[in-house]
Amino acid sequence: MPDTFPIRKIIHVDMDAFYASVEQMDNPELKGKPVAVGGSGNRGVVSAASYEARKFGVRSAMSGMQARRLCPDLIFTKTRFDRYREISKQIRNIFYDYTDLVEPLSLDEAYLDVTENKKGNPSASLIAQEIRTRIFNEVGLTASAGISINKFIAKIASDYNKPNGQKTVNPEDVLPFLEGLDIRKFYGVGKVTAEKMYQLGIFTGTDLKSKTIEYLDTHFGKSGRFYYHVVRGIHTSEVKPNRIRKSLAAERTFSENLSSEIFMLEKLEHIADEVSKRLIKSDVAGKTITLKIKYSDFTMQTRSKTLPYFVSDASVILETAKDLLYQESMQNSVRLLGISLSNLNTDKKTKKPEEKKAVSVQLQFAF
């Protein structure tokens, strides 16, 4: 690995089956049983599945009906996002005891840069172990962690010993680790890309590393350069504690398809109210309003309008969404409607300049 690239101590913490685990924690009768968070009806979708349910093949984003067929004894619970956010905040407060460089990816996972940390502990592995122990003792849930020199490798490593485990990829082990990795394990390589790589004879990190940057650019476009670098352990993205929000949205999937625009307007009113509440709570506003429409045949359509001013008011959002709804006739009955605001005023905000401290590229410090 080139000496010019900084080596950081990055931890990726990933809660184990977070939503389902919270439900099992709050309702002891669910412990040890297959649990799915989400809807069980004809139009329901699984948001999360417990490990007991995963043994039957139940996965997130799966339809409730399919999940039930795979696991007849599956227990469905409703999503409780307020509760998940409450627990997530407790967990993040534990993170902040060790470092201010915390980048949440979602309610249940985050990156931590502990190259320099509040405990003065030189071992990122020991810090990860301590954090996981505290989450279990103070919150009651288990977490897994990956530890390595950058975010990409830490993310892959956190999935290695799930649930309730951790894996450290030391600096000197990075290249052998990546070379022996199945290409499907590479973070950022989805199912479609993996199939394409298989067709090109790329099955492992070693296969990927054998390809030139020109070859990867030709076959994978802009992503080719990314693949070329990460398989060599090069990923310079820093942990960003203040991620700037680019958009904010709310959407609803309906139990029955809507064919009347009158019924759609009623649903849009509730969605606009929800978007407005989220904007106000986040203290942001936006100029571009986008209406998302998913038809009964699962085709998707978006219609957007950019206003000359920032808005967060529900009535303005609703009126714009109405205009977009009537912009053209419906192609089919509708199963989902959503409203999002982008071009937010956060884009105008600038971060305070901070001095970037040089990070040692030596391999002698403990992981």
Side-chain angles (χ1 to χ4, degrees):
M1 200 162 16
D3 289 340
T4 54
F5 292 98
I7 291 177
R8 303 182 178 95
K9 298 181 182 181
I10 307 297
I11 302 172
H12 178 255
V13 179
D14 193 3
M15 299 303 298
D16 299 324
F18 183 53
Y19 296 174
S21 295
V22 171
E23 298 303 330
Q24 289 177 318
M25 177 179 68
D26 289 352
N27 183 357
E29 292 183 2
L30 298 178
K31 288 187 176 180
K33 298 178 180 178
V35 174
V37 178
S40 60
N42 294 342
R43 311 299 291 273
V45 176
V46 175
S47 296
S50 68
Y51 282 97
E52 294 85 355
R54 294 182 189 185
K55 292 177 181 177
F56 292 87
V58 179
R59 295 287 184 270
S60 61
M62 178 180 288
S63 72
M65 288 185 65
Q66 183 181 359
R68 180 76 75 186
R69 285 196 295 268
L70 291 172
C71 181
D73 295 327
L74 190 62
I75 302 170
F76 281 88
T77 66
K78 293 182 178 180
T79 53
R80 298 184 299 150
F81 284 109
D82 287 342
R83 177 59 172 160
Y84 308 148
R85 280 190 284 268
E86 176 189 353
I87 298 294
S88 180
K89 186 176 180 180
Q90 294 178 33
I91 295 167
R92 288 181 192 174
N93 286 337
I94 293 175
F95 296 159
Y96 290 125
D97 283 345
Y98 297 84
T99 178
D100 290 327
L101 296 179
V102 177
E103 180 182 344
L105 299 178
S106 59
L107 293 178
D108 62 343
E109 61 177 320
Y111 290 115
L112 290 72
D113 188 332
V114 295
T115 311
E116 295 181 9
N117 57 83
K118 296 178 181 179
K119 302 295 184 180
N121 189 337
S123 172
S125 299
L126 292 179
I127 291 175
Q129 180 65 59
E130 187 174 320
I131 287 173
R132 291 176 49 244
T133 299
R134 285 189 58 187
I135 291 173
F136 182 76
N137 291 338
E138 298 173 27
V139 181
L141 299 174
T142 63
S144 298
I147 306 97
S148 197
I149 63 172
N150 61 43
K151 291 161 66 174
F152 177 79
I153 303 169
K155 172 80 171 176
I156 297 173
S158 67
D159 199 43
Y160 238 73
N161 292 317
K162 266 187 166 291
N164 196 25
Q166 68 180 60
K167 180 175 178 60
T168 299
V169 182
N170 291 298
E172 63 273 18
D173 298 327
V174 164
L175 294 182
F177 173 76
L178 292 171
E179 288 168 359
L181 207 62
D182 188 306
I183 203 66
R184 291 174 300 178
K185 297 289 186 180
F186 275 68
Y187 177 56
V189 175
K191 184 177 180 180
V192 174
T193 302
E195 288 299 327
K196 183 175 180 179
M197 287 189 174
Y198 285 168
Q199 292 172 8
L200 295 171
I202 302 173
F203 299 95
T204 66
T206 298
D207 298 329
L208 180 60
K209 195 175 180 181
S210 69
K211 305 302 181 183
T212 65
I213 194 167
E214 292 78 15
Y215 179 91
L216 294 174
D217 279 344
T218 299
H219 290 279
F220 300 101
K222 293 180 180 178
S223 297
R225 196 166 296 267
F226 169 77
Y227 301 142
Y228 179 86
H229 286 117
V230 294
V231 77
R232 289 164 171 78
I234 301 169
H235 187 243
T236 58
S237 176
E238 298 178 5
V239 171
K240 301 170 184 175
N242 298 312
R243 301 179 73 194
I244 298 176
R245 185 188 289 274
K246 296 296 183 182
S247 65
L248 195 150
E251 60 185 41
R252 295 289 182 273
T253 300
F254 312 120
S255 56
E256 295 182 3
N257 295 333
L258 303 181
S259 55
S260 169
E261 290 173 345
I262 295 175
F263 293 131
M264 294 180 202
L265 289 175
E266 180 184 341
K267 303 298 183 183
L268 282 178
E269 184 173 355
H270 295 300
I271 298 170
D273 283 338
E274 180 62 26
V275 171
S276 177
K277 288 177 183 177
R278 294 181 185 182
L279 287 165
I280 294 169
K281 185 176 181 180
S282 300
D283 191 26
V284 295
K287 286 185 176 181
T288 301
I289 297 173
T290 300
L291 175 67
K292 176 182 176 182
I293 305 169
K294 182 183 285 187
Y295 293 102
S296 54
D297 61 359
F298 287 86
T299 57
M300 194 89 71
Q301 185 182 56
T302 57
R303 307 171 183 177
S304 298
K305 182 177 181 179
T306 299
L307 304 176
Y309 45 82
F310 292 104
V311 300
S312 61
D313 183 76
S315 60
V316 178
I317 295 170
L318 177 59
E319 287 305 312
T320 306
K322 284 182 181 179
D323 291 342
L324 294 170
L325 183 68
Y326 288 122
Q327 197 174 70
E328 57 182 275
S329 58
M330 295 291 107
Q331 299 175 1
N332 206 331
S333 57
V334 173
R335 63 176 279 117
L336 177 149
L337 287 173
I339 299 174
S340 66
L341 264 81
S342 56
N343 195 5
L344 303 182
N345 53 4
T346 52
D347 295 338
K348 304 297 181 182
K349 297 177 182 178
T350 56
K351 297 180 181 180
K352 295 180 180 179
E354 297 180 357
E355 287 186 56
K356 293 185 178 179
K357 299 180 179 179
V359 181
S360 171
V361 299
Q362 301 302 313
L363 304 186
Q364 70 267 23
F365 53 68
F367 257 77

